[in-house]
Amino acid sequence: MIGWGASGLAWLTGAPDGPPDFSRAAVLQRAGEVIRRINAAAGLEADAAILLAGRAALRGWTRAGRVSAGGASRLLGAADGWWALTLSRPDDIDAVPALIEAEGPGEPWGAIAGWAADKPAADVVARARLLDLPAATLGEADPAPPLIRRAGPSGPGRGPRGALVVDLTSLWAGPLCGQLLAQAGATVIKVESPSRPDGTRAGDRAFFDWMNAGKLSCALDFDRDAAFLARLLAAADVVLEGSRPAALARRGLGPLDVAGRPGRVWLQITAHDAGSPGFGDDAAVAGGLVGFDGAADPVFCGDAIADPLTGIEAAGAVLDALARGGGEVITFALAAVAAGYAALPLHRGGAQPASPPGCPRIEGVGPRLGADNARVGELVSRC
């Protein structure tokens, strides 16, 4: 029997004019197992169904087939298969003429689809990535566990309560990991650059509040304030990093550059193992985590599902690392996480009724940018 949670996920999967697709019911079941383990270890009551589909519920989104629930990504046909592209940033839109080698109309998607239709998907994606566009071929990534490396001395095993967590991430996967740690009793400091704050601060703030309520906010220029940031990273019990791996390392702020206290856990989240840019929807396509329309062609599964799945998996990995004494760098790739979930057996049941996903309960307002700089300075000075 498929429960309510799978019904909510199915509501977001399938053709917009067709029935909901329950074929990925096992995704929720596996995510639920991870969440139950996190709940038991950290004393939480998190709900996997809400974590996977809560953003869509907050925004009132539903399934849109080969258009992502949020509208920024498309599944497109190529000569030999399918590929995905995300145009969520102004720079992405600006790069479209260079991608298709022509000035397109104001609405870019038709021109992109026509340009790619007679080309191999791998060639299309390679050109998109040369332009730093988030793109992926369907199923290009293999399932893989997170990469775990030794990076400093271990400490005594511990739980998350009272841990100092420096959250350098934005959007969904990393902030969700940080939110679960905050709920478990950690002190989580959300660090943002004033020139590039978390994009979810803009527009409807409900999602930002959901992910970031209960965290402290520290606004830093990563270049001008590098010395203070290094002290903060050295004081942390856990660091959450969501940039490309070289972004901090080239400033001398990577996990092997800044010596940490014994037992520090440094978590990195990337889109792809190769370091290419990506977001939750195109990374899910890279992992082959898609649903199906009535003709068995691929459609997007859920809402940017690689993001919340990775956030859940990352929180579990941090708790496990703390318990065994830390001193580790753990690297997750969204696409590899999605590929692992895509490998689960498909549900073969017939059409079933589905209901919209349930809205999350938002526990407070996310912090104002830089509101806690003074408090963070005091925390660092005491370490």
Side-chain angles (χ1 to χ4, degrees):
M1 181 72 178
I2 293 178
W4 169 86
S7 169
L9 182 61
W11 179 271
L12 297 172
T13 308
D17 56 352
D21 174 27
F22 282 87
S23 65
R24 295 298 185 179
V27 169
L28 179 65
Q29 294 168 4
R30 173 69 62 83
E33 293 170 2
V34 179
I35 282 294
R36 284 191 290 275
R37 182 166 58 83
I38 291 172
N39 287 346
L44 304 185
E45 297 181 355
D47 185 305
I50 293 292
L51 296 180
L52 294 187
R55 183 177 76 163
L58 288 172
R59 301 284 173 82
W61 294 341
T62 186
R63 60 188 178 277
R66 280 181 279 281
V67 178
S68 65
S73 303
R74 298 287 193 280
L75 258 167
L76 302 164
D80 58 352
W82 296 91
W83 67 292
L85 176 68
T86 299
L87 301 178
S88 62
R89 305 166 296 185
D91 288 350
D92 298 333
I93 301 293
D94 293 342
V96 169
L99 174 68
I100 64 177
E101 300 179 274
E103 288 294 333
E107 192 286 313
W109 290 109
I112 295 170
W115 166 79
D118 61 352
K119 297 176 177 61
D123 291 352
V124 168
V125 169
R127 180 168 180 79
R129 287 177 173 169
L130 281 175
L131 297 167
D132 210 36
L133 290 169
T137 58
L138 176 60
E140 68 179 46
D142 295 322
L147 175 65
I148 301 177
R149 294 165 288 159
R150 175 61 55 188
S154 60
R158 60 165 300 169
R161 184 163 297 279
L164 181 63
V165 179
V166 176
D167 182 359
L168 302 168
T169 68
S170 61
L171 302 179
W172 198 347
L176 172 56
C177 177
Q179 178 58 242
L180 291 170
L181 295 175
Q183 291 178 23
T187 298
V188 181
I189 301 170
K190 184 175 181 64
V191 179
E192 301 166 82
S193 167
S195 61
R196 283 189 70 180
D198 189 328
T200 61
R201 285 185 176 275
D204 182 353
R205 282 283 298 267
F207 179 70
F208 177 84
D209 292 340
W210 181 34
M211 288 293 103
N212 296 290
K215 299 179 184 178
L216 305 177
S217 175
C218 181
L220 294 176
D221 182 291
F222 282 31
D223 293 311
R224 188 181 63 245
D225 300 320
F228 179 81
L229 180 55
R231 291 174 59 199
L232 181 57
L233 297 174
D237 297 297
V238 178
V239 177
L240 308 179
E241 177 192 351
S243 56
R244 297 190 204 179
L248 288 179
R250 69 170 176 261
R251 295 178 169 91
L253 296 171
L256 303 181
D257 303 310
V258 179
R261 60 174 57 188
R264 184 180 66 187
V265 176
W266 192 298
L267 180 91
Q268 297 174 325
I269 297 177
T270 67
H272 303 274
D273 287 330
S276 303
F279 293 94
D281 283 305
D282 55 84
V285 171
L289 185 51
V290 293
F292 304 96
D293 64 13
D297 286 328
V299 295
F300 284 106
C301 176
D303 169 28
I305 196 165
D307 270 317
L309 287 175
T310 302
I312 290 169
E313 293 282 346
V318 169
L319 293 177
D320 289 345
L322 288 172
R324 62 176 173 258
E328 298 171 346
V329 177
I330 305 171
T331 304
F332 278 90
L334 298 178
V337 171
Y341 278 85
L344 297 173
L346 294 174
H347 176 70
R348 301 293 185 182
Q352 302 178 54
S355 302
C359 271
R361 185 175 63 188
I362 301 174
E363 299 294 343
V365 177
R368 177 175 54 82
L369 182 63
D372 303 292
N373 276 19
R375 183 176 173 189
V376 172
E378 293 171 0
L379 288 172
V380 172
S381 68
R382 294 201 298 263
C383 293

